[in-house]
């Protein structure tokens, strides 16, 4: 309860005060030029490079790691969730790493849904554009009749169009475009 109250108070602080408090008390690595809007962003570990930013009203919870490279950004109203490692429940015995790593000069624009039950990595100079795209690492394994998850990888110099869906196991190789309203559920062949 005390930890929740501290997070609420931290979320309400103005950014020039919030950044040093997050660094000191949460152990986050946030470059002095990085900025976070009025958002709920509390992964276990946060690394934000120079000039990186997270927009207003973005939610990020349940991740082990949120890492933003220099000049990268996550837009406003983006929902990023994970399922913490070691938490009791559906994913026992599955090797996974709930993290989101966004490369240098990359962008996730506004109003996307990102499920980081397993890792999502986005390369350098890549944009997840438009809005309403879904990156979903978890699903159901019908053969075993249980929850399952697999990572998603998006290479460097890529563009993902509006309202695209990437499912666990998806790999978008570098220098690729995934058009609007597309579905990618496996490694795309170069």
């Amino acid at each position: 309860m005390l930890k929740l109250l501290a997070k609420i108070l931290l979320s309400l602080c103005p950014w020039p005060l919030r950044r040093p408090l997050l660094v000191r008390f949460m152990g986050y690595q946030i470059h002095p030029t990085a900025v976070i809007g009025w958002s709920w962003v509390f992964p276990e570990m946060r690394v934000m490079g120079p000039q990186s930013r997270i927009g207003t009203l973005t939610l990020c919870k349940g991740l082990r790691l949120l890492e933003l490279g220099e000049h990268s950004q996550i837009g406003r109203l983006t929902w990023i969730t994970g399922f913490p490692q070691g938490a009791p429940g559906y994913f026992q015995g599955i090797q996974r790493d709930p993290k989101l790593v966004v490369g240098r000069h990359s962008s996730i624009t506004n109003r996307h849904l990102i499920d980081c039950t397993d890792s999502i990595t986005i390369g350098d100079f890549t944009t997840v554009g438009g809005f309403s795209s879904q990156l979903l690492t978890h699903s159901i394994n019908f053969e075993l009749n249980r929850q399952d998850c697999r990572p998603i990888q998006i290479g460097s110099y890529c563009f993902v169009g509006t309202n695209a869906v990437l499912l666990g196991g998806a790999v978008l190789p570098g220098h690729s475009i995934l058009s609007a309203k597309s579905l990618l559920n496996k490694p795309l062949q170069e």
Side-chain angles (χ1 to χ4, degrees):
M1 183 64 173
L2 189 58
K3 193 171 186 178
L4 176 62
L5 182 60
K7 287 180 179 179
I8 291 169
L9 292 174
L10 280 170
S11 294
L12 296 174
C13 289
W15 180 245
L17 178 61
R18 190 173 4 139
R19 192 194 79 72
L21 291 172
L22 290 170
V23 169
R24 180 177 173 106
F25 295 112
M26 300 294 288
Y28 292 158
Q29 298 173 28
I30 304 173
H31 192 273
T33 60
V35 176
I36 300 173
W38 301 103
S39 297
W40 186 268
V41 182
F42 290 102
E44 289 177 32
M45 186 61 194
R46 183 185 330 181
V47 178
M48 294 183 69
Q51 302 296 323
S52 61
R53 56 188 312 113
I54 297 174
T56 301
L57 299 177
T58 290
L59 173 102
C60 178
K61 65 176 192 154
L63 274 68
R64 181 187 65 77
L65 171 67
L66 173 63
E67 182 175 338
L68 294 160
E70 65 181 81
H71 293 275
S72 64
Q73 66 178 1
I74 297 173
R76 52 186 196 280
L77 292 166
T78 297
W79 189 275
I80 306 166
T81 60
F83 195 79
Q85 289 174 314
Y90 302 108
F91 300 100
Q92 299 303 315
I94 297 174
Q95 294 295 321
R96 62 189 185 83
D97 190 7
K99 68 180 180 180
L100 173 61
V101 177
V102 180
R104 299 175 305 116
H105 297 272
S106 290
S107 176
I108 298 171
T109 61
N110 305 320
R111 295 179 284 165
H112 297 286
L113 175 63
I114 301 172
D115 159 50
C116 294
T117 299
D118 206 337
S119 68
I120 296 178
T121 55
I122 298 173
D124 299 337
F125 298 94
T126 290
T127 299
V128 177
F131 62 94
S132 294
S133 289
Q134 299 175 49
L135 286 71
L136 306 170
T137 62
H138 86 277
S139 63
I140 296 185
N141 182 326
F142 290 108
E143 291 176 6
L144 299 176
N145 193 28
R146 70 173 194 181
Q147 293 278 339
D148 200 1
C149 60
R150 296 187 341 208
I152 293 173
Q153 297 175 2
I154 301 173
S156 295
Y157 299 95
C158 291
F159 178 79
V160 176
T162 192
N163 206 14
V165 176
L166 288 88
L167 300 178
V171 177
L172 185 65
H175 303 274
S176 297
I177 295 173
L178 187 64
S179 65
K181 293 199 172 272
S182 293
L183 168 68
L184 183 59
N185 62 356
K186 60 186 177 185
L188 185 64
Q189 301 300 318
E190 291 188 47

